[in-house]
Amino acid sequence: MKKNPVDSDIIPQPQHTRPRTGFFSLASCRGICIPNDSSSADFVRMARQLQKEVAAETKIRLAVQERQNAASARHRIVICRPEQLPATWRKLKPMEKQCAMTEQGYVLDISPEKILLVADRAAGVFYGMQSLLQLAARHGARIPAMEIADHPAIQNRMVLIDISQGGFAIIDVAYWKRIIRNLARFKINQLMLYLEDAYNYEKYPFLGRKGGLTKAKAVLLGEYARRHQIELIPLQSSFAHIPEILHNDELAGLREKRIHTESVARRVHLKNWILCTANPKTFVFLRELLSELAGAFSNSQHLHVGCDEIWGFCSCARCQKMAAKLNGVERLYFYHMERLARIVKDTGREMMYWELINPPRGIRKRKADRLLSKLDATIFSYRYDNPKSYPIIKHYQNLGFRKIYVCPAITRYYYSCHNRFDKTFGNIRGFLRAGAKAGVTGECTCTWLNGYRNLLENNWYGLIYSADCAWNPGHHDVADFQRRFAAIWFGFAGEDRGTIIQEVIHAPYARTRDGHTRPFWEKARGTMGPLLYPADIPAYERLITTERGLVKDAHRLNALTGEKLKITAEIKKRARRNRRTLEFAELDLRLHRYVANKIIAVEKISEDYKQAYKFQETNPVLTIRKLQDIAQALTRMNQEHNYFVRMFTRAIKESGGDYLAISLFERRLDENQRVIGKLNSYLARFRKGERVWLPNMVSMNAASAFSWFAVLG
């Protein structure tokens, strides 16, 4: 068998495949056959699931049959264990036997005569089914003949979805079932929900959100995930990073009382940031939260307790006194972690937690890590950049940590990085390859959603690439992945399908202006965010005046997004599945075009208004024309505002959206409408020949043009 071929059209890429001649016809298939012994109960359930999914993909309904000597049946899909193979088939090659006998491994033998799926465990059967279903989705009823021997390089492959920091204003069960199905299709076996204040606790009814995650939803989704070989795990921050919980007056006594920080801004930010370790009621509170989560996520073997970014730790007098008694801040930190470990153990779960990066004052990381290595828990090491190596793995192994997860992230939409997937892919590929080589326990690919550009639907491309790398980190040509992704996720055919993904999703925006200077749209936080969602006029003005070549780049971006939007419109017609991913990719393109047009419009509006003001007495015809141009520009802008309100309203249920994005564009819509009304009032008076005095904004330039809303309104 060939290792890592490029023509299997399967994600994740199987470890070993060998092409064969011919194809298996599902139209001529006589059913799905499994042995009728009592040990195959799980296989019966898998067979019925395969029956449903084959019917969904091909409209062909296959009967499920239980019979003796099932593996000898012809013109069928046969599912069995290695020991149930007939003597003529039993001599699997060592590599094939290794795959079939591992917990998640399988052998898939497709010939014109039959399809034979061999696996020792239910998980292996399930993953073999996913490979077969991807082939059916790609090729229809004519499955190309091939042999596949496959198993994962990393046993635990997790996706983290943030449902609290701006994303997922509501938890729509139907959409989350789609998330689970898609993750399972790409062989992800753990899904972790980052909660903070997003879970509706029964013990504390003031926590949570209307339409958010409840026990009933958690139980339902947990059971649905279990049937898809996914463990649904809650992450409840249990140390710090919980301002939306601690701001409640009912919990005021649990906060750290005094914060030592270098700035007023940080002090305000940390006011409700961290729990007081020295307060015994803190652990009563945490026990109640974690016990309730254990009951709701009953199919999970783990509880993640967060514990990163413990800024302001040991600031209050009680904690400082306790730290002195324990002989150091590190030991107070370990005391908190050890108490959490006991609480989690009492729920019958295993504890997971984040590593300590940038420890607060008084904590030496190596000493703290040496203490943490004594815990029977899993440490999550997160790195979101793209270095040449990841020595942190060796650091933890040398200290004696036995359970380590490596954690890259999809950073294109929220991090201070270039506005493309290059860095994300490098981080995922490098960290997972290093983790697999070191034999880590698992990996967790993070999505930190914010409900604006960073919607879940725009993260699928990165998540599926991560699934590819976690299963088989040995072969990762990005162009090959793009070709497979286009075929499997969208159902695209044609030689151009990989190029389409590169141009519309991976890197739709030009990289640099002159080879050295980054254009504003590559500065996700520093420039692009304030231009898209200006929080205040002075911040907007600073950007306009300090960003060199902004208007020139805006014209360039406008042309670029126009070109990519035409491509997106065409490929939406070609997509056979997951069209909504393209619709939200289109949303991101239109957000960029909106920013470009806003910069251009503000520049022109400032000049038009100067002309209107200058000639209002001597040339009222010119003044009327300039005011009309301004009103038309604002009307065009409002057409985009209406589109954004519609799409972000849709995103609430379909992509992890948040109400804040809707309210922002509704506010822009109302502001523009008020200004248009004022302009129309001036225009009516000018047309009647009345003497009209426009507000004096002769000194207005592109930097201050945005403030004219307040003047005219």
Side-chain angles (χ1 to χ4, degrees):
M1 283 191 184
K2 289 184 180 180
K3 186 173 178 64
N4 303 326
V6 297
D7 57 355
S8 63
D9 276 343
I10 295 173
I11 299 176
Q13 181 79 269
Q15 299 287 352
H16 307 273
T17 67
R18 182 170 65 193
R20 303 173 68 172
T21 58
F23 61 88
F24 179 84
S25 173
L26 287 174
S28 303
C29 182
R30 297 175 184 171
I32 302 169
C33 194
I34 53 177
N36 63 354
D37 60 87
S38 58
S39 66
S40 298
D42 283 341
F43 285 24
V44 174
R45 179 171 57 82
M46 294 291 179
R48 299 203 182 282
Q49 189 171 343
L50 179 61
Q51 176 192 48
K52 292 179 182 177
E53 297 200 30
V54 167
E57 286 289 352
T58 66
K59 310 302 180 188
I60 297 171
R61 184 166 180 82
L62 303 173
V64 175
Q65 306 160 356
E66 296 181 61
R67 52 185 288 181
Q68 288 185 333
N69 301 319
S72 300
R74 299 177 62 189
H75 305 297
R76 290 172 172 83
I77 299 172
V78 177
I79 303 173
C80 68
R81 291 189 170 87
E83 66 270 17
Q84 294 168 330
L85 290 168
T88 54
W89 290 72
R90 197 169 294 163
K91 293 181 180 180
L92 294 173
K93 296 175 183 177
M95 173 268 297
E96 293 173 328
K97 189 171 184 179
Q98 176 191 354
C99 291
M101 294 301 293
T102 58
E103 184 175 352
Q104 300 177 46
Y106 66 94
V107 172
L108 186 62
D109 190 323
I110 304 171
S111 69
E113 184 181 69
K114 70 168 69 175
I115 294 177
L116 183 62
L117 173 53
V118 184
D120 190 57
R121 310 284 180 86
V125 173
F126 184 82
Y127 295 137
M129 284 167 43
Q130 303 317 306
S131 294
L132 178 57
L133 288 166
Q134 287 188 24
L135 291 171
R138 177 79 180 96
H139 300 283
R142 294 163 60 91
I143 309 295
M146 65 178 71
E147 295 177 34
I148 298 174
D150 203 10
H151 64 91
I154 298 177
Q155 296 302 303
N156 297 296
R157 301 168 304 283
M158 178 186 288
V159 163
L160 178 147
I161 298 179
D162 177 5
I163 66 171
S164 72
Q165 298 184 96
F168 285 102
I170 67 170
I171 299 298
D172 182 74
V173 170
Y175 184 69
W176 276 87
K177 285 184 175 181
R178 175 178 177 264
I179 292 172
I180 290 167
R181 287 195 303 272
N182 282 328
L183 292 176
R185 179 63 58 93
F186 298 102
K187 305 183 177 72
I188 295 296
N189 61 357
Q190 291 178 320
L191 171 58
M192 186 158 67
L193 306 185
Y194 182 87
L195 301 177
E196 283 196 23
D197 65 321
Y199 183 79
N200 294 0
Y201 287 96
E202 295 176 354
K203 177 75 175 179
Y204 296 93
F206 54 86
L207 299 180
R209 307 170 183 175
K210 184 178 180 181
L213 186 62
T214 62
K215 180 178 180 180
K217 290 180 181 179
V219 170
L220 190 155
L221 292 174
E223 177 57 26
Y224 191 80
R226 185 189 65 80
R227 296 202 301 269
H228 288 79
Q229 297 296 314
I230 289 178
E231 179 187 3
L232 188 65
I233 302 170
L235 190 167
Q236 177 58 69
S237 295
S238 303
F239 203 148
H241 210 303
I242 46 175
E244 297 304 319
I245 288 180
L246 288 178
H247 86 277
N248 290 283
D249 292 339
E250 295 91 335
L251 303 176
L254 304 183
R255 306 170 190 153
E256 280 267 19
K257 297 297 183 183
R258 184 162 58 89
I259 303 299
H260 293 287
T261 57
E262 66 281 3
S263 70
V264 173
R266 173 63 65 85
R267 191 178 302 122
V268 171
H269 183 53
L270 295 181
K271 181 180 179 183
N272 304 317
W273 186 259
I274 189 166
L275 289 160
C276 178
T277 298
N279 187 344
K281 293 181 180 179
T282 290
F283 296 99
V284 174
F285 172 69
L286 291 174
R287 181 177 291 276
E288 290 170 339
L289 294 193
L290 296 175
S291 297
E292 190 169 328
L293 287 176
F297 292 80
S298 57
N299 290 318
S300 175
Q301 301 172 22
H302 302 89
L303 280 175
H304 199 299
V305 295
C307 300
D308 62 327
E309 298 181 1
I310 56 171
W311 304 322
F313 175 59
C314 199
S315 294
C316 71
R318 293 177 70 177
C319 285
Q320 290 171 354
K321 183 178 179 180
M322 190 172 182
K325 186 177 180 180
L326 292 173
N327 198 26
V329 181
E330 294 96 347
R331 292 194 176 276
L332 181 64
Y333 165 69
F334 181 65
Y335 169 82
H336 191 112
M337 299 300 293
E338 196 174 34
R339 288 289 302 269
L340 283 174
R342 273 186 261 149
I343 291 171
V344 172
K345 186 176 181 180
D346 289 346
T347 69
R349 307 297 191 275
E350 296 181 28
M351 187 172 91
M352 295 171 158
Y353 64 97
W354 296 117
E355 67 179 330
L356 191 60
I357 291 183
N358 299 322
R361 185 180 59 181
I363 292 185
R364 289 161 290 182
K365 177 172 170 55
R366 189 170 185 83
K367 183 176 179 180
D369 286 344
R370 194 176 291 114
L371 291 169
L372 290 174
S373 67
K374 301 174 185 178
L375 295 176
D376 183 18
T378 303
I379 189 167
F380 278 49
S381 177
Y382 60 99
R383 296 292 185 279
Y384 300 161
D385 51 359
N386 183 21
K388 292 182 179 179
S389 62
Y390 292 87
I392 190 65
I393 302 172
K394 191 73 172 176
H395 164 79
Y396 288 123
Q397 290 179 329
N398 288 343
L399 287 175
F401 285 83
R402 294 180 295 106
K403 301 173 186 177
I404 303 169
Y405 273 52
V406 292
C407 308
I410 299 171
T411 56
R412 178 189 159 190
Y413 296 100
Y414 85 100
Y415 212 52
S416 182
C417 64
H418 294 174
N419 198 355
R420 53 187 181 272
F421 271 102
D422 294 353
K423 185 174 181 178
T424 288
F425 274 35
N427 172 224
I428 290 172
R429 180 174 59 247
F431 210 1
L432 299 192
R433 186 176 289 170
K437 185 177 180 180
V440 297
T441 309
E443 67 87 15
C444 171
T445 299
C446 304
T447 63
W448 301 106
L449 308 179
N450 63 16
Y452 290 93
R453 287 185 62 218
N454 194 9
L455 298 167
L456 182 64
E457 207 61 31
N458 288 335
N459 281 262
W460 277 115
Y461 176 61
L463 289 175
I464 294 169
Y465 181 73
S466 174
D468 205 26
C469 293
W471 186 276
N472 183 355
H475 166 81
H476 281 293
D477 176 80
V478 172
D480 171 56
F481 169 76
Q482 290 171 337
R483 183 187 62 80
R484 288 181 288 130
F485 175 80
I488 296 166
W489 187 251
F490 294 121
F492 289 156
E495 294 301 317
D496 67 336
R497 63 183 188 270
T499 303
I500 288 171
I501 299 302
Q502 173 70 21
E503 291 189 356
V504 173
I505 294 177
H506 188 94
Y509 313 110
R511 296 188 62 174
T512 59
R513 186 164 55 234
D514 55 15
H516 302 285
T517 307
R518 291 168 61 190
F520 70 83
W521 59 82
E522 287 197 343
K523 304 172 186 177
R525 285 186 174 176
T527 303
M528 189 65 188
L531 286 171
L532 187 56
Y533 316 113
D536 57 79
I537 290 167
Y540 188 87
E541 291 178 355
R542 281 195 300 273
L543 284 172
I544 296 287
T545 53
T546 59
E547 191 73 26
R548 294 173 54 195
L550 190 68
V551 177
K552 182 179 178 181
D553 273 349
H555 283 283
R556 184 177 173 216
L557 180 59
N558 185 44
L560 189 64
T561 52
E563 173 191 335
K564 298 304 171 66
L565 283 166
K566 287 180 182 177
I567 297 172
T568 307
E570 288 299 316
I571 63 175
K572 280 198 300 183
K573 300 173 186 175
R574 290 171 53 182
R576 292 168 45 208
R577 60 182 72 91
N578 292 311
R579 189 176 285 110
R580 89 173 70 180
T581 303
L582 291 172
E583 291 166 346
F584 282 100
E586 182 179 50
L587 169 63
D588 192 61
L589 285 166
R590 287 183 68 164
L591 285 168
H592 280 73
R593 186 180 67 178
Y594 166 77
V595 168
N597 285 335
K598 184 160 67 172
I599 293 168
I600 295 166
V602 165
E603 178 82 6
K604 188 173 185 305
I605 284 169
S606 67
E607 293 304 315
D608 283 348
Y609 193 83
K610 287 177 186 177
Q611 292 291 309
Y613 183 86
K614 181 178 180 180
F615 295 103
Q616 60 183 318
E617 287 191 277
T618 60
N619 193 345
V621 174
L622 175 64
T623 297
I624 289 172
R625 189 168 75 247
K626 293 299 181 181
L627 293 180
Q628 285 176 332
D629 289 346
I630 294 172
Q632 288 170 2
L634 294 176
T635 300
R636 287 192 296 272
M637 203 178 289
N638 271 0
Q639 290 172 353
E640 285 298 276
H641 292 151
N642 277 315
Y643 163 78
F644 294 138
V645 169
R646 289 197 308 273
M647 284 302 292
F648 281 113
T649 300
R650 179 182 169 191
I652 293 293
K653 281 193 173 184
E654 296 185 22
S655 195
D658 185 75
Y659 292 112
L660 286 175
I662 299 171
S663 63
L664 184 144
F665 284 108
E666 285 179 337
R667 191 161 65 249
R668 296 284 92 86
L669 189 68
D670 291 343
E671 288 171 350
N672 275 15
Q673 205 57 49
R674 286 198 302 271
V675 174
I676 291 169
K678 192 71 172 178
L679 288 171
N680 287 335
S681 173
Y682 286 132
L683 284 167
R685 293 172 64 189
F686 272 114
R687 289 180 182 126
K688 291 178 181 178
E690 295 181 14
R691 189 179 180 85
V692 181
W693 291 104
L694 295 173
N696 185 355
M697 292 190 289
V698 174
S699 62
M700 182 176 68
N701 55 29
S704 58
F706 218 73
S707 64
W708 76 303
F709 285 121
V711 177
L712 285 179

